[in-house]
Amino acid sequence: MLNVFLSILPIFLLIVFGFLSKLYVKDVAVFWGFSDKFVYYLFFPALLIMDISEADFSGADSFYPVMATIISTLVIALIIFAVKFFVDTSPDLFTSIFQGGVRYNSYVFIALSQSLFGSEGVALSGFFVAYMIILTNILSVLVMNHYGTGSKKSLSGAVLALTKNPLIIGALLGVLMNLLNLHITGAIKQLFQYLANAATPLSLMSVGAGLIVSMHIRKMVSISYATLLKLVAMPLITIALVKYFGATGVPASIAILYSAVPCAGNAYILARQMGGDHEAMASIITWTTLLSVMTVTFILGSVAI
């Protein structure tokens, strides 16, 4: 468990540094606005393309681990809807609970995959990202369209937007190059290495810069409920499914890691755009991020796969 904690600690220290930059550096939000675009459109796609294209997947069976994450996400969604029948929750707060329970932070996920499992972890995390970004975004848009009080989005428009997602494009390009046995070499490989090296620190510090530390005592029960679903219930369900399917090795560990990472920061943006409770959403994102350093350490350090 100590080895897991020491591997995870630098990831969360970078998040802390990003948060401190927001507090002590004047106009730093402008910098993070530009940085996010470079990370999203250039640095992370370069990392995924390079590591997936060079990965050896001959001994990695990721079908059942991916299925475990899909099923666990759907189970959490069903639990959230089932509880709504018994607990009266305002529609806007319900959307934030839903997003908090099912969405994941792809930046933290890929960074932790790299820290814990190296280039193989990055390559495998790319597969999970390609599947789970689609699933979690479709679920979130459907819920926001029904329960949100803001502007609506068409499902076809949401799906079309996902086809333009740079992380999905990067993962698919890496898979295609891997299948065609195409390799990045020479000066181009060095360029991709430079771009990839920038992805992790900048993305994690940006996560920290986006945190909003507030308690919202009036909504603390709902915030705690969503946090427990994301950081405790989903990992436990995924572990049970992984063991049921008999999945082992790094793919199984990546599946468990996926289920244990905090909620996505862009859930806050969706909540603002589509009439969710964005204040509660900000708290859920913040507390799942802060507490995940302990829960991820305990879960990954305790489960032998």
Side-chain angles (χ1 to χ4, degrees):
M1 190 174 296
L2 179 61
N3 289 337
V4 173
F5 174 74
L6 292 176
S7 296
I8 290 172
L9 182 61
I11 301 297
F12 287 93
L13 287 177
L14 285 169
I15 294 174
V16 171
F17 291 157
F19 178 73
L20 293 176
S21 77
K22 181 175 70 171
L23 297 180
Y24 297 110
V25 180
K26 185 179 179 180
D27 297 327
V28 75
V30 176
F31 168 78
W32 288 121
F34 284 111
S35 173
D36 284 347
K37 289 181 173 61
F38 279 108
V39 169
Y40 186 62
Y41 288 103
L42 186 60
F43 298 154
F44 255 126
L47 175 65
L48 292 172
I49 290 170
M50 188 173 66
D51 283 349
I52 292 176
S53 65
E54 297 294 328
D56 179 9
F57 295 113
S58 58
D61 184 1
S62 59
F63 175 78
Y64 285 118
V66 169
M67 285 302 299
T69 58
I70 291 174
I71 294 171
S72 64
T73 299
L74 294 175
V75 169
I76 291 296
L78 289 173
I79 290 172
I80 293 170
F81 273 99
V83 171
K84 187 177 180 357
F85 281 107
F86 301 99
V87 180
D88 185 25
T89 306
S90 63
D92 59 340
L93 182 56
F94 174 75
T95 64
S96 295
I97 293 170
F98 185 87
Q99 285 204 91
V102 304
R103 299 194 70 170
Y104 73 105
N105 192 311
S106 56
Y107 289 171
V108 175
F109 174 49
I110 296 171
L112 283 173
S113 298
Q114 183 181 45
S115 179
L116 291 167
F117 306 106
S119 59
E120 182 184 5
V122 174
L124 286 168
S125 68
F127 281 108
F128 284 81
V129 165
Y131 285 102
M132 301 310 295
I133 280 182
I134 295 171
L135 175 64
T136 56
N137 275 275
I138 288 175
L139 290 175
S140 296
V141 168
L142 287 172
V143 169
M144 294 298 300
N145 269 336
H146 187 75
Y147 292 99
T149 59
S151 61
K152 307 300 181 183
K153 289 186 177 182
S154 67
L155 185 58
S156 60
V159 173
L160 180 62
L162 288 172
T163 64
K164 302 175 183 177
N165 186 296
L167 300 184
I168 294 178
I169 293 171
L172 293 178
L173 282 175
V175 170
L176 182 62
M177 292 175 65
N178 193 295
L179 292 173
L180 296 176
N181 200 28
L182 298 176
H183 301 283
I184 303 172
T185 59
I188 300 300
K189 183 174 183 178
Q190 189 63 58
L191 171 63
F192 268 71
Q193 188 67 59
Y194 287 141
L195 295 173
N197 287 343
T200 298
L202 284 175
S203 65
L204 292 172
M205 291 180 72
S206 178
V207 169
L211 296 181
I212 302 173
V213 178
S214 55
M215 290 299 293
H216 294 293
I217 299 298
R218 183 170 56 87
K219 303 172 184 175
M220 205 61 204
V221 172
S222 297
I223 294 167
S224 300
Y225 167 51
T227 300
L228 284 171
L229 286 174
K230 184 68 198 75
L231 298 184
V232 179
M234 185 179 286
L236 291 177
I237 294 169
T238 304
I239 290 168
L241 288 167
V242 162
K243 289 184 177 294
Y244 173 78
F245 288 136
T248 58
V250 176
S253 296
I254 293 292
I256 296 169
L257 175 62
Y258 165 86
S259 70
V261 296
C263 179
N266 54 13
Y268 175 79
I269 298 172
L270 193 63
R272 286 189 68 94
Q273 290 176 339
M274 300 184 67
D277 188 329
H278 61 272
E279 292 183 346
M281 192 72 259
S283 290
I284 292 168
I285 293 165
T286 298
W287 290 111
T288 56
T289 302
L290 295 176
L291 293 174
S292 62
V293 65
M294 295 181 289
T295 56
V296 171
T297 299
F298 180 78
I299 290 166
L300 270 293
S302 302
V303 179
I305 298 294

